[in-house]
Amino acid sequence: MLIESIYKEHGYINRIIQLLDNKLARLDDEKNINYNVVRESVDYLSSVAEKVHHPKEDMIYQYYINRYGEHEGLSNLLKEHDTLSDETEEFSIAITMILNDAIVPKEVFKAKLKAFTHRIEQHLELEEKEIFPFLKAHLTLDDWKALEKNWSEEEDPVFGSKADKRFLELAEKVR
């Protein structure tokens, strides 16, 4: 079922966030980190969350609005997905600068990393504690069937049966 695949993807995203939080803890302890794994993490979130996961959620949210009327929480989440995309791109620029040997003060990077992971955690929590229970209570079985007709699952490039070559280091860390 569609909602189960969203919960599964949230689990994957949470594992990436845990990895990034561990990188932040290492930086706080004055230890080195593998910035390439951070890059792969951000690339994963950008490519999977923004191009597969959020469109799936957006389809559900928009379906509800179109069928049952305006819902402030769902409308806000549709906008928030765009904001998260922008924030991911902004954080990606910081990683690229570091990997290209630009000088980015460690405290600035740590603050960006902490804000980035916190923002995603807040977003997932809102969806899981408020929005998904609401949708499960209000969408009918026929609604879910109609939604599932419009969606085909893709294999996850990190957590699927075979890791995509773009994410080999990341897959090694989180699988």
Side-chain angles (χ1 to χ4, degrees):
M1 196 165 156
L2 196 55
I3 195 77
E4 279 81 19
S5 77
I6 290 174
Y7 278 114
K8 181 174 70 174
E9 291 164 357
H10 275 204
Y12 296 160
I13 293 167
N14 274 316
R15 285 166 67 182
I16 301 299
I17 297 305
Q18 278 183 325
L19 174 81
L20 292 173
D21 285 342
N22 290 341
K23 299 295 182 195
L24 181 60
R26 286 185 59 82
L27 288 171
D28 284 341
D29 291 340
E30 301 295 324
K31 294 180 179 171
N32 291 328
I33 65 168
N34 181 339
Y35 285 96
N36 193 54
V37 171
V38 176
R39 152 62 66 212
E40 287 185 18
S41 299
V42 174
D43 287 350
Y44 173 84
L45 292 170
S46 179
S47 64
V48 174
E50 293 175 24
K51 293 179 178 68
V52 177
H53 180 74
H54 287 161
K56 186 186 304 184
E57 291 175 337
D58 291 350
M59 176 187 71
I60 297 168
Y61 302 162
Q62 195 61 59
Y63 176 93
Y64 180 91
I65 291 167
N66 292 347
R67 183 154 169 92
Y68 296 103
E70 193 60 38
H71 183 279
E72 184 181 355
L74 297 177
S75 297
N76 288 343
L77 280 171
L78 288 167
K79 293 176 199 153
E80 192 170 292
H81 285 165
D82 290 335
T83 304
L84 283 170
S85 177
D86 294 343
E87 291 170 4
T88 301
E89 179 60 31
E90 183 180 313
F91 186 65
S92 180
I93 291 168
I95 299 294
T96 300
M97 290 174 65
I98 289 170
L99 289 172
N100 288 333
D101 296 325
I103 296 175
V104 176
K106 189 185 288 188
E107 292 307 314
V108 169
F109 179 75
K110 285 171 31 178
K112 286 180 182 288
L113 177 56
K114 185 173 187 162
F116 179 70
T117 59
H118 182 69
R119 179 82 167 89
I120 293 171
E121 288 167 334
Q122 285 181 313
H123 176 80
L124 296 176
E125 186 175 323
L126 170 66
E127 287 179 329
E128 290 188 5
K129 289 191 174 171
E130 295 179 30
I131 299 302
F132 296 164
F134 171 83
L135 290 171
K136 288 190 327 190
H138 290 85
L139 289 175
T140 67
L141 188 55
D142 287 340
D143 290 330
W144 287 111
K145 286 179 183 176
L147 283 161
E148 287 177 5
K149 283 181 188 173
N150 295 319
W151 194 261
S152 62
E153 281 298 309
E154 295 181 26
E155 179 146 39
D156 189 278
V158 171
F159 298 96
S161 61
K162 185 173 186 229
D164 186 291
K165 64 182 177 192
R166 295 181 305 155
F167 302 114
L168 291 177
E169 282 188 84
L170 176 61
E172 190 177 295
K173 300 285 184 201
V174 295
R175 286 173 113 190

